[in-house]
Amino acid sequence: MGEWIGFSIMLLFSIGCYVLSGFFLHGKGACLIAGYNTMSKKQQEQYDQGKLCRSAGYSTLIIGIALTLLSCVILLTEIIPVLPEWMLTAGTIGFCSIVALATLGSLLFSNTKAKK
């Protein structure tokens, strides 16, 4: 029973990532990007808001997909007890790696290509 609750919560977070990604990919929600909304108007003019939103949207989409995959791995290791425990460890390491790479890629893109 506990695995279904954890799976459901992780699935809700991934759906939230997909919705947020949709806003970003349509060029909306720049006020939700950390650091951008606290800049002065003069500093904000140095960045292309559309590219910045797309960058945040793609990284949020990648994180949502990774979260969905991790929740499926967790559910499968709980439902099918034959699966080895290392699958859960590999899934967690893979998730953390994907999130780190998506964050790094978004930071590099935002600070180089998104500037006007």
Side-chain angles (χ1 to χ4, degrees), residues 26-56:
H26 284 96
K28 310 279 190 244
C31 63
L32 298 175
I33 299 174
Y36 183 73
N37 60 350
T38 58
M39 291 181 183
S40 66
K41 293 293 181 191
K42 185 178 179 184
Q43 289 175 323
Q44 286 181 359
E45 290 172 359
Q46 295 176 354
Y47 290 91
D48 185 357
Q49 184 176 346
K51 288 182 181 179
L52 201 60
C53 284
R54 276 195 305 271
S55 172

Side-chain angles (χ1 to χ4, degrees), residues 26-105:
H26 284 96
K28 310 279 190 244
C31 63
L32 298 175
I33 299 174
Y36 183 73
N37 60 350
T38 58
M39 291 181 183
S40 66
K41 293 293 181 191
K42 185 178 179 184
Q43 289 175 323
Q44 286 181 359
E45 290 172 359
Q46 295 176 354
Y47 290 91
D48 185 357
Q49 184 176 346
K51 288 182 181 179
L52 201 60
C53 284
R54 276 195 305 271
S55 172
Y58 285 130
S59 62
T60 308
L61 181 65
I62 291 169
I63 291 170
I65 291 169
L67 191 57
T68 302
L69 292 174
L70 178 64
S71 62
C72 289
V73 167
I74 291 173
L75 186 65
L76 283 175
T77 54
E78 293 293 327
I79 289 177
I80 307 171
V82 178
L83 293 175
E85 189 66 29
W86 65 265
M87 285 187 71
L88 183 60
T89 306
T92 305
I93 291 171
F95 172 75
C96 292
S97 301
I98 290 171
V99 169
L101 288 174
T103 304
L104 182 65

